[in-house]
Amino acid sequence: MVIIAVQRALKMDSRYLLVLGLGLLLRWAVSLHPHSGQRKPPMFGDYEAQRHWMEVTHNLPLADWYRNTTDNDLLYWGLDYPPLTAYHSYLCGAVAARVDPSFVALHASRGLETPEHRLFMRATVLVADLLVFLPAALWFAVALRRSRAVTLTVLAVLVLYPGLLLIDHGHFQYNGVSLGLMVAAAAALLGRRDATGAALFSLALNYKQMELYHALPFFCYLLGTCLRQRTWAASVGKLAKIGAATVLTFGLVWLPFLVDAQRAVEVGARLFPFNRGLFEDKVANFWCSLSVVYKVKQLHSVAAIASMCLSTTALFLLPTNLLLLADPTPHNLLLSLLNSALTFFLFSFQVHEKSILLAALPAAMLFPDYPLSSLWFLLASTLSMLPLLLKDDLLLATVATTVFFTVAVNMATGVLDAGRRAAAPKQRSRLTTTSGGPPADPCSRWAVPALYLSLTGYAVLALTSVTVSPPERYPDLWPVLVSLYSFAHFAGFFLYYHLIQFQFFDEKFKVC
């Protein structure tokens, strides 16, 4: 993937390399700010979790990576991501041991935060983006087969999106790996490399189980393309090829754990810990918002809540994915990726505020067709994580990256110039395989003032959060208000993008 992206970049003008270079520069600038849990014992934060996984995978045998032992206390940031994350941690741990053995010394390295170690850890995220996310973004932008200006814009939106920058290079995680693999999978499908796309998405799912948010759209798209083959034999052959690529990828990733059934069971138990509860912190989803007036977690058992989440999520997943199954075009795929991820975020069990990134990336990928609504969603998704970012002392980085992103995108596209947008002819999309193309973004002139009003509300909430102490009776007042305010946005986007997809389906097939 990296080689393909480099080859294509060399054939392009310098503006593409400039965007990629700017993305790297912004990532490094954000990394100079504090990380999660900095100087906050005993648990510290996600930074320590990632470091601890390097320590565990480097020092312990593979059989003990997901098992509670005297040297691996699962209550202290036990490994809870799929095997591909464990292998990545093992690789980083091996490099860390060569750089400085103290970085991964068993037990003794707990809570390590020296400047040298922070530099190493920040560099690992940057290298991961350089090897996975940035090439994937370039591949996807080129795979759209649009004009050079549109290709450059999509690349910039994906590379400069502040939410991902702040979480991975500020807060500290490696979301760019799983999201990059998902973007690469979508790029492969746009290029009609279905087996490659299936393998890449399988890797994404084996890096972070949250990629289940995107699993059903990939499944429905691939199944739909198989069903649309001219002959039964062609359909079976294509399905067998895709199935073989998926099974082979999963088999290779899980092989070291499948040699022992108990070992595989231990991994599975760590990947889906239902004991963690309905949501973490204050999340801008349906259940957290409902809990303000109806204490769901206190009034229902974990089993009952999980059942409610499952049924609700499944119900709202059906429309967008059935449409995709009936009409497996690339444009419909991107809409279903967004709608499905947003459905999971709003209604599923065990949701974290960072999970909104899984909906934000498809929104960025749809930017050429729905620029204003996509920009609004990307900004709202970033600012919905304000409580987490403020906790990590990332307010300055949040403001700087968000303002820069907004100004840069507007300068490149004029998306916030309502007059120009109203007067300019709409560019037809070439994402679909049909000549009609998707409908134009139904956002009109009123949406730009509404967006500014939305951002003003976020600015007021951020300023209040850092300058006004909440009442003693309601210590979480400001995070709750941010989550409620953001939920109102996401509920609106949920309806809006479903409406777009249904209108698109109706326009193509003349459904009454």
Side-chain angles (χ1 to χ4, degrees):
M1 183 170 65
V2 178
I3 295 175
I4 294 174
V6 170
Q7 288 176 340
R8 291 178 175 177
L10 292 175
K11 296 178 182 178
M12 299 175 182
D13 62 47
S14 58
R15 290 179 296 175
Y16 294 88
L17 297 177
L18 180 62
V19 170
L20 294 173
L22 182 58
L24 287 172
L25 180 62
L26 281 178
R27 282 161 168 77
W28 192 253
V30 171
S31 72
L32 300 176
H33 290 77
H35 56 73
S36 63
Q38 188 165 321
R39 295 187 293 273
K40 296 178 181 177
M43 294 299 291
F44 301 96
D46 280 335
Y47 175 95
E48 168 63 9
Q50 302 291 342
R51 187 217 59 77
H52 181 64
W53 295 350
M54 297 177 195
E55 171 196 347
V56 167
T57 54
H58 177 71
N59 290 286
L60 303 183
L62 182 141
D64 290 342
W65 286 0
Y66 292 89
R67 181 180 300 166
N68 194 63
T69 67
T70 54
D71 288 327
N72 185 21
D73 181 6
L74 295 182
L75 295 179
Y76 184 80
W77 298 117
L79 188 57
D80 55 4
Y81 284 162
L84 199 57
T85 288
Y87 303 149
H88 180 208
S89 297
Y90 174 81
L91 179 62
C92 291
V95 176
R98 295 291 297 271
V99 173
D100 187 337
S102 68
F103 290 175
V104 288
L106 191 61
H107 303 308
S109 60
R110 181 171 292 193
L112 185 67
E113 292 181 345
T114 63
E116 295 79 12
H117 184 256
R118 285 199 295 269
L119 178 63
F120 170 78
M121 293 291 283
R122 293 300 197 186
T124 62
V125 188
L126 197 65
V127 169
D129 273 7
L130 189 60
L131 295 178
V132 180
F133 185 79
L134 297 183
L138 178 59
W139 186 8
F140 176 82
V142 174
L144 289 177
R145 299 186 182 277
R146 306 282 282 271
S147 69
R148 180 165 294 186
V150 172
T151 302
L152 188 64
T153 299
V154 174
L155 178 63
V157 170
L158 284 167
V159 169
L160 304 180
Y161 167 54
L164 186 57
L165 267 67
L166 291 164
I167 294 301
D168 276 14
H169 299 271
H171 175 82
F172 198 92
Q173 281 192 330
Y174 296 95
N175 294 288
V177 176
S178 57
L179 291 173
L181 290 169
M182 182 276 294
V183 172
L189 297 188
L190 263 61
R192 298 185 179 180
R193 301 178 180 179
D194 293 344
T196 301
L200 286 169
F201 182 72
S202 297
L203 290 175
L205 188 56
N206 278 289
Y207 191 87
K208 281 198 173 184
Q209 64 268 40
M210 280 76 75
E211 278 298 323
L212 283 169
Y213 284 35
H214 299 137
L216 197 54
F218 275 98
F219 173 80
C220 288
Y221 177 86
L222 291 169
L223 180 59
T225 58
C226 291
L227 295 176
R228 290 166 71 91
Q229 299 301 301
R230 292 183 177 180
T231 66
W232 179 85
S235 295
V236 173
K238 187 177 184 65
L239 183 62
K241 184 178 179 180
I242 293 171
T246 302
V247 171
L248 180 61
T249 303
F250 268 83
L252 289 175
V253 172
W254 280 81
L255 183 60
F257 297 92
L258 295 177
V259 297
D260 183 344
Q262 180 59 31
R263 191 181 301 177
V265 169
E266 290 169 350
V267 177
R270 292 296 300 165
L271 298 187
F272 302 101
F274 287 100
N275 60 325
R276 286 189 178 181
L278 182 57
F279 50 81
E280 292 186 19
D281 298 323
K282 300 298 180 288
V283 184
N285 73 352
F286 173 78
W287 301 110
C288 185
S289 301
L290 178 64
S291 295
V292 174
V293 294
Y294 181 80
K295 304 303 179 183
V296 180
K297 292 195 287 187
Q298 284 75 30
L299 296 174
H300 298 277
S301 66
V302 172
I305 294 173
S307 178
M308 288 190 295
C309 291
L310 177 62
S311 57
T312 307
T313 305
L315 176 65
F316 286 113
L317 282 174
L318 281 176
T320 181
N321 286 287
L322 288 177
L323 288 177
L324 177 61
L325 182 63
D327 182 28
T329 64
H331 183 261
N332 236 356
L333 169 65
L334 298 182
L335 280 171
S336 289
L337 286 171
L338 172 53
N339 285 329
S340 294
L342 199 50
T343 296
F344 268 100
F345 179 82
L346 290 174
F347 302 108
S348 67
F349 189 85
Q350 183 51 41
V351 176
H352 196 284
E353 61 260 57
K354 299 189 292 291
S355 301
I356 194 60
L357 297 177
L358 292 151
L361 265 291
M365 296 156 77
L366 281 164
F367 184 87
D369 297 297
Y370 314 108
L372 185 57
S373 57
S374 294
L375 175 62
W376 194 347
F377 187 95
L378 294 173
L379 295 175
S381 65
T382 299
L383 297 173
S384 71
M385 298 183 288
L386 267 173
L388 175 67
L389 298 171
L390 291 175
K391 185 188 301 183
D392 293 338
D393 295 326
L394 291 171
L395 177 61
L396 178 60
T398 301
V399 173
T401 54
T402 302
V403 171
F404 177 84
F405 177 75
T406 307
V407 173
V409 170
N410 188 52
M411 288 180 63
T413 64
V415 63
L416 297 179
D417 187 339
R420 188 187 309 170
R421 290 185 68 255
K426 302 293 183 182
Q427 181 183 10
R428 305 301 291 178
S429 172
R430 293 168 58 193
L431 279 173
T432 59
T433 56
T434 64
S435 58
D441 192 340
C443 281
S444 56
R445 292 184 180 183
W446 63 264
V448 175
L451 188 152
Y452 283 128
L453 183 62
S454 166
L455 295 180
T456 300
Y458 275 115
V460 170
L461 287 170
L463 185 62
T464 304
S465 298
V466 297
T467 59
V468 180
S469 299
E472 292 185 6
R473 186 179 177 183
Y474 303 108
D476 295 327
L477 177 62
W478 307 138
V480 168
L481 289 179
V482 172
S483 70
L484 290 173
Y485 188 68
S486 300
F487 169 69
H489 285 73
F490 297 144
F493 284 121
F494 175 81
L495 296 174
Y496 174 79
Y497 282 111
H498 272 83
L499 176 62
I500 285 178
Q501 191 170 15
F502 274 90
Q503 285 182 336
F504 180 39
F505 187 87
D506 182 74
E507 178 180 310
K508 286 191 62 182
F509 291 92
K510 306 299 181 184
V511 177
C512 297

